[in-house]
Amino acid sequence: MGETVQLYIDGMWRDGATRETTDFWDPATGATAGAVAVATSKDLEEACSAADRGFRLWRAKSAVERSGLLRKASALIRERSAVIAPLLTREQGKPLAQARQEVESSADIFEWFAEEGRRVYGRIIPSRAPDVRLSVTREPVGPVASFSPWNFPLAQAARKIGAALASGCSVILKGPEEAPEALARIVGALHDAGIPAGVLNLVYGVPSEISSFLIPHPAIRKISFTGSTVVGKQLAAMAGAHMKRATMELGGHSPTLVFEDANLERAADLLTAFKFRNAGQVCTSPARILIQDKVYGEFKSKLVERAARLKTGNGSDPGTDMGPLANPRRVQAMEAFVQDATDRNASVATGGRRIGNQGNFFEPTILEDVPQPARIMNEEPFGPIMTLQRFADFDSMVEEANRLPYGLAAYAYTRSARTAAMVSDAVESGMVSINHHGLGLPETPFGGVKDSGYGSEGGSEAMEPYMVSKFVTHSLVD
Ligand code: NAD
């Protein structure tokens, strides 16, 4: 067991005021992996004061200076990957290669925001009078309260910290209590890069207590949350009640439309790899696979064969394709989904069961003939389960794709440029990826519509919610 992961407030690592801690576990073994400090309201009040001071200091720095510090942090994260990645695997479960990728992508996100922060431009509006100048400047909104989840403890946090700091905002980040240590190392890299005290603060504790404290707090001007739709709606309502801006990156139930003219071999390879990445605990993970009638049998065989071949095991063992689920709740959720579906006469094409009785392992699972009222057809799986459905034509596939209140990511496989364009137009989704699973780059928008939330955490759109516009009209006549 490692040392206690501390809170980072006002540039210092420290215990919570009551010294209370909570344990976190290695999901591959069930053994305790460490303990994390629990923030009290006293700690949170101090974090708010620090973020307030940090904001004044940080916004006064030039964009070039902020950019330089973020670049330095990015370089330090890359240098420390060999230390950080194994910590991530131990506390979250993902295979080491995926943990390394996540460290790398976090560094990439900071680097991209370092660049984007230098391109925050205002504008001049043509005036109606010769002696009046009309301008719009963009200013950072203020201290931000961010809530990042356990499925990508580093990358999701990097998106929130990167956008805020590049815009000139300070941040109080509530990290995931179940996977706190690797993230603390990322924050350590930002500290070592020279981010001034108070500009970035990291807290852990009881999520509902922290959000109820921070969201209404007068120092906080913006909220950013990644997590379930249920919690997102509660936090968005609280933000609304206090007139705080909010970015909500919530759940999904991604449809994948496989048309009869698709390259089935390639589609099966890409879809299997993407579906079972991070054991399916990805908000953009394909959930419902909608297959055109003529190729249903052939595509199903290809998927089943590939899923059954995946090696599930401890993420730190070389050769593991899929690690354990991040917590026992997810295993119970997978068992309940499968039980409910089979009670309604669905068939298990492969998988369907927990593996062993130590650690949170669950088989890569494919279900078919699942009736529409089954829970898995309506609730986000957030685990290694996908369902197969057979469809006659384009219209019925799109109707099913748009059936649910979610609208985060959608995928399609087709060789026809026309079908691809029609899917892009017809699917109600924040992101559409065709003939590959190409989402989640720092430079591209990342976010959903409908119950999947609002706002973007990627691309130049990601900076917008952290900025306010100020209109200045100036008469030159004095
Ligand atoms: P959960 O809804 O209890 O928690 C989800 C996340 O929200 C966690 O990070 C948690 O710490 C945080 N949270 C919960 N209540 C909060 C509150 N009142 N204030 C602030 N933060 C709060 O569920 P869970 O069992 O941890 O995760 C399962 C579900 O969460 C999944 O089914 C999935 O839909 C969703 N989830 C989504 C993402 C995503 O990337 N969009 C990430 C993690 C979890």
Side-chain angles (χ1 to χ4, degrees):
M1 177 171 153
E3 288 172 19
T4 297
V5 178
Q6 293 181 302
L7 312 174
Y8 178 72
I9 296 174
D10 207 9
M12 279 172 301
W13 293 98
R14 37 169 277 195
D15 293 328
T18 58
R19 297 187 167 266
E20 189 192 337
T21 61
T22 178
D23 287 349
F24 58 98
W25 293 271
D26 179 342
T29 62
T32 310
V36 57
V38 170
T40 63
S41 50
K42 182 169 181 292
D43 302 309
L44 296 172
E45 188 59 54
E46 284 168 20
C48 286
S49 307
D52 202 29
R53 286 193 300 278
F55 174 58
R56 288 167 215 286
L57 203 137
W58 190 238
R59 71 174 297 180
K61 291 203 181 295
S62 71
V64 171
E65 198 174 344
R66 290 197 291 255
S67 171
L69 292 175
L70 285 172
R71 274 178 184 285
K72 201 165 162 194
S74 168
L76 287 176
I77 292 166
R78 284 205 169 91
E79 265 173 50
R80 297 173 187 182
S81 176
V83 175
I84 300 173
L87 293 174
L88 180 56
T89 292
R90 189 185 60 160
E91 63 191 6
Q92 199 274 344
K94 66 187 61 181
L96 193 53
Q98 292 180 27
R100 284 198 202 102
Q101 262 172 22
E102 188 173 343
V103 176
E104 185 63 28
S105 101
S106 307
D108 204 13
I109 289 167
F110 283 116
E111 197 169 52
W112 189 82
F113 277 114
E115 292 160 4
E116 195 63 10
R118 297 177 62 173
R119 289 189 276 271
V120 174
Y121 306 128
R123 71 186 199 274
I124 302 291
I125 298 168
S127 167
R128 295 178 179 217
D131 53 359
V132 172
R133 297 284 178 270
L134 308 177
S135 62
V136 181
T137 56
R138 290 161 81 213
E139 300 180 344
V141 62
V144 180
S146 292
F147 301 84
S148 63
W150 47 259
N151 58 336
F152 289 96
L154 312 186
Q156 304 271 26
R159 286 180 181 280
K160 295 180 192 306
I161 300 170
L165 296 196
S167 311
C169 298
S170 59
V171 186
I172 302 174
L173 176 77
K174 188 203 83 64
E177 291 74 21
E178 291 165 303
E181 192 170 3
L183 173 57
R185 301 299 179 109
I186 297 287
V187 170
L190 284 145
H191 172 92
D192 294 345
I195 301 292
V199 173
L200 171 62
N201 304 274
L202 174 67
V203 297
Y204 295 101
V206 180
S208 58
E209 287 177 11
I210 297 180
S211 54
S212 321
F213 186 96
L214 292 182
I215 295 175
H217 197 286
I220 299 298
R221 298 310 319 155
K222 178 184 158 49
I223 317 303
S224 174
F225 173 76
T226 298
S228 61
T229 294
V230 174
V231 174
K233 285 182 175 177
Q234 291 165 12
L235 301 193
M238 206 189 296
H242 295 274
M243 201 49 76
K244 307 283 171 82
R245 287 176 164 217
T247 301
M248 292 284 150
E249 206 274 275
L250 308 179
H253 205 294
S254 304
T256 301
L257 289 66
V258 181
F259 292 94
E260 61 188 26
D261 65 350
N263 178 339
L264 298 183
E265 194 71 11
R266 185 166 181 275
D269 283 342
L270 296 180
L271 180 54
T272 308
F274 193 71
K275 167 66 210 177
F276 298 110
R277 184 174 74 114
N278 203 14
Q281 302 161 117
V282 183
C283 52
T284 54
S285 184
R288 288 165 293 149
I289 318 304
L290 286 41
I291 309 165
Q292 211 166 358
D293 218 1
K294 205 167 137 196
V295 295
Y296 182 88
E298 187 186 348
F299 194 59
K300 172 194 153 183
S301 307
K302 288 183 189 300
L303 286 179
V304 168
E305 183 203 318
R306 283 162 177 76
R309 243 187 359 230
L310 292 175
K311 188 168 173 283
T312 303
N314 191 318
S316 50
D317 293 341
T320 291
D321 297 309
M322 191 177 95
L325 294 171
N327 53 55
R329 297 194 297 289
R330 292 314 314 146
V331 177
Q332 286 157 13
M334 295 309 111
E335 287 177 326
F337 277 135
V338 173
Q339 187 66 52
D340 170 73
T342 51
D343 284 351
R344 297 170 194 263
N345 298 322
S347 313
V348 179
T350 187
R353 285 166 311 177
R354 181 179 182 174
I355 305 171
N357 55 11
Q358 199 190 40
N360 310 323
F361 296 100
F362 198 85
E363 292 173 326
T365 298
I366 300 179
L367 303 178
E368 63 175 338
D369 303 322
V370 191
Q372 201 182 84
R375 288 184 47 214
I376 190 77
M377 300 304 289
N378 299 284
E379 297 170 34
E380 182 174 29
F382 221 68
I385 304 182
M386 60 174 147
T387 63
L388 308 187
Q389 293 168 272
R390 188 192 284 264
F391 288 91
D393 55 20
F394 178 90
D395 289 346
S396 55
M397 288 164 93
V398 168
E399 192 182 328
E400 168 60 21
N402 290 339
R403 178 176 59 86
L404 294 180
Y406 293 114
L408 189 59
Y411 307 93
Y413 284 91
T414 174
R415 283 192 172 101
S416 155
R418 185 164 185 273
T419 306
M422 284 164 63
V423 170
S424 321
D425 287 350
V427 172
E428 296 165 0
S429 177
M431 298 176 276
V432 179
S433 180
I434 295 178
N435 288 338
H436 74 153
H437 295 269
L439 308 178
L441 299 170
E443 63 271 27
T444 55
F446 191 90
V449 297
K450 302 178 9 186
D451 272 6
S452 294
Y454 39 71
S456 180
E457 295 222 289
S460 39
E461 287 87 346
M463 303 282 287
E464 291 300 327
Y466 294 89
M467 317 284 305
V468 284
S469 297
K470 182 181 277 175
F471 166 58
V472 178
T473 176
H474 177 185
S475 167
L476 302 177
V477 180
D478 51 20

